[in-house]
Amino acid sequence: QAIAEAACAFANTATGGTLLFGVNDKQQVVGIDKDKLPEFITHLTNALRDTATPPIEHVASSLQVCTGR
């Protein structure tokens, strides 16, 4: 629900916006488990489709980040 509310807030602006997942409150990249990513994107897509009328147009993409570890 919180994801859909945040997306609706962005959708109600003139320029939209970008939601980042896998980043904590300290702005550190913590990531999303690669094996769970497809399920997460499906859940996100369904939430954006089912919550707002009209459905929120979006692009879901992933980025692999090298942490140097």
Side-chain angles (χ1 to χ4, degrees):
Q1 183 67 26
I3 292 171
E5 290 176 6
C8 284
F10 277 101
N12 284 321
T13 66
T15 58
T18 302
L19 291 175
L20 298 176
F21 300 95
V23 178
N24 68 18
D25 291 338
K26 295 179 182 180
Q27 300 178 351
Q28 299 167 321
V29 176
V30 294
I32 297 174
D33 187 324
K34 188 177 5 177
D35 294 333
K36 295 181 181 179
L37 189 58
E39 179 182 346
F40 176 81
I41 291 175
T42 298
H43 176 74
L44 173 65
T45 298
N46 291 341
L48 297 180
R49 181 195 64 224
D50 298 341
T51 303
T53 304
I56 297 171
E57 292 184 30
H58 67 284
V59 174
S61 59
S62 63
L63 175 68
Q64 186 173 354
V65 177
C66 179
T67 60
R69 295 184 201 177

